[in-house]
C-alpha cells in the first residue's frame, strides 16, 4: 500500500492542495477529478493511488474545488474557468519539477486533460479519460441536477444526487446517508459554493471538442465509461473513441459515473496494463 500525504503547493499565483503517493522518482500520473458539490481528489482517487505501486501519484484538488484556493475572480463558465484551471495545473507540474506525466481525467477532469494535451502535448505520455465531459451532447437530466444543487441544498438533496452517480449504491452499504450528510456539510462552505456557481454560470459558447480538434491528439488514450452512467452518457466516450486517432474504448457494465469506485479493481487492472505499455513518463526527468 502506498502512503498518502497531502500538502499545499504554491503554483505561481495559485495555492493547490495536493494528494501525493508513491516514489517521486517513478513515472508520474496526474489525476484530475470531476466537478460536483463537495468533490475532492481524495474522494475520487484515494483507493487507486494507495493500491497502484510503481508510480508517483499527483492528485490535486483542482483550483476552485475542496481545499485548494477558491479565487474570487475565477472566470465564469466552464470554458473560461477551465482555461485558468489548466494554467494552474501546468504551474503545479512546474513547481513539482515534473516534466512529463501520464494523465487520468474523470468527467470535468477529462476535459481539462484534453485542454492540457492541446496546449503542451510534449509533457504527456499516456492518457486515460473516464466518463469524460466535452463531447457535443446535450446535458443529461442528472447532470443538470448536479449543476443546480445549490438551488435547494440539503443532506437529502446530496443523497439523491450521489445515488445518480452510481449504478448500485450497495457499495456504501447503510452509510450512504452519513456520507451524504458529511459531503453536504463540506459543500456548504461559502468558497466551495461560490466556485461551483461561477463554474456553471451559463456561457454563450459551451466548451466542446470538435472531431477535428480530437483528430490532432496523437497520444495513446484509454477511454473508459460506465455503461449505466446517467450523468454523462456513454455516447460521449463513443464520440471520443471515434475521433481520437489512438484511442481504445472500454465500456464497463454495472457501473455509473463513478467507475473508479464501483469497478475499482477492473479500472485498476485496465489502467495498470495500459500505462505499463508506455514507459517514458518520469517524475523529475525531461
Amino acid at each position: 500500500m502506498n502512503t498518502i500525504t497531502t500538502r499545499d503547493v504554491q503554483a505561481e499565483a495559485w495555492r493547490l492542495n495536493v494528494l501525493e503517493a508513491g516514489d517521486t522518482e517513478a513515472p508520474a500520473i496526474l489525476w484530475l477529478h470531476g466537478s460536483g458539490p463537495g468533490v475532492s481528489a481524495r474522494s475520487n482517487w484515494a483507493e487507486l493511488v494507495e493500491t497502484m505501486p510503481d508510480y508517483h501519484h499527483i492528485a490535486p484538488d483542482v483550483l476552485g474545488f475542496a481545499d485548494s484556493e477558491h479565487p474570487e475572480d475565477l472566470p465564469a463558465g466552464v470554458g473560461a474557468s477551465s482555461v485558468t484551471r489548466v494554467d494552474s495545473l501546468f504551474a503545479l507540474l512546474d513547481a513539482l519539477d515534473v516534466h512529463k506525466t501520464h494523465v487520468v481525467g474523470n468527467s470535468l477532469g477529462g476535459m481539462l486533460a484534453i485542454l492540457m494535451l492541446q496546449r503542451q502535448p510534449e509533457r504527456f505520455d499516456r492518457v486515460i479519460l473516464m466518463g469524460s465531459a466535452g463531447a457535443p451532447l446535450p446535458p443529461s437530466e442528472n447532470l443538470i441536477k448536479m449543476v443546480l444543487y445549490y438551488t435547494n441544498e440539503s443532506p437529502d438533496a446530496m443523497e439523491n444526487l450521489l445515488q445518480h452517480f452510481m449504478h448500485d449504491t450497495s457499495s456504501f452499504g447503510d452509510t450512504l446517508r452519513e456520507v451524504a450528510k458529511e459531503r453536504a456539510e463540506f459543500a456548504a462552505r461559502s468558497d466551495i459554493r461560490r466556485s461551483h456557481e461561477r463554474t456553471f454560470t451559463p456561457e454563450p459558447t459551451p466548451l466542446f471538442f470538435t472531431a477535428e480538434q480530437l483528430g490532432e491528439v496523437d497520444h495513446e488514450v484509454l477511454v473508459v465509461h460506465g455503461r449505466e452512467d446517467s450523468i454523462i452518457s456513454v455516447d460521449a466516450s463513443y464520440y471520443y473513441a471515434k475521433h481520437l486517432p489512438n484511442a481504445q474504448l472500454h465500456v464497463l457494465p454495472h457501473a455509473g459515473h463513478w467507475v473508479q469506485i464501483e469497478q475499482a479493481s477492473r479500472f485498476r487492472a485496465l489502467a495498470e496494463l495500459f500505462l505499463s505499455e508506455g514507459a517514458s513518463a518520469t517524475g523529475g526527468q525531461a
Side-chain angles (χ1 to χ4, degrees), residues 134-252:
L137 299 173
S140 70
E141 178 182 347
N142 288 327
L143 178 60
I144 293 172
K145 286 182 180 179
M146 184 274 288
V147 169
L148 298 178
Y149 168 77
Y150 286 103
T151 61
N152 187 26
E153 60 177 307
S154 70
D156 287 342
M158 180 65 76
E159 183 177 5
N160 179 267
L161 182 61
L162 295 182
Q163 288 175 343
H164 294 303
F165 275 80
M166 294 179 286
H167 170 62
D168 181 5
T169 60
S170 64
S171 59
F172 280 95
D174 296 328
T175 66
L176 181 61
R177 184 161 185 80
E178 180 181 343
V179 170
K181 180 176 181 294
E182 292 175 355
R183 186 153 171 168
E185 291 174 354
F186 185 56
R189 276 176 31 185
S190 60
D191 55 348
I192 291 176
R193 175 172 182 158
R194 182 183 69 239
S195 292
H196 178 96
E197 292 177 338
R198 289 192 67 81
T199 296
F200 292 107
T201 297
E203 51 194 335
T205 306
L207 175 58
F208 295 125
F209 299 109
T210 67
E212 291 73 21
Q213 288 173 320
L214 296 177
E216 295 174 354
V217 176
D218 61 5
H219 296 71
E220 294 289 335
V221 182
L222 173 65
V223 182
V224 181
H225 215 111
R227 186 180 64 191
E228 287 79 27
D229 190 340
S230 68
I231 302 294
I232 294 180
S233 168
V234 69
D235 290 340
S237 283
Y238 281 110
Y239 177 82
Y240 283 121
K242 178 178 180 179
H243 296 296
L244 289 165
N246 298 307
Q248 54 180 285
L249 172 63
H250 292 259
V251 177
L252 300 183

Side-chain angles (χ1 to χ4, degrees), residues 105-158:
N106 170 225
S107 198
L108 176 67
M111 179 183 287
L112 297 177
I114 295 171
L115 289 172
M116 296 181 82
L117 294 175
Q118 290 178 321
R119 190 184 301 182
Q120 295 186 34
E122 72 282 357
R123 296 193 71 164
F124 299 96
D125 196 336
R126 295 198 157 213
V127 182
I128 301 177
L129 303 177
M130 185 178 67
S132 180
L137 299 173
S140 70
E141 178 182 347
N142 288 327
L143 178 60
I144 293 172
K145 286 182 180 179
M146 184 274 288
V147 169
L148 298 178
Y149 168 77
Y150 286 103
T151 61
N152 187 26
E153 60 177 307
S154 70
D156 287 342
M158 180 65 76

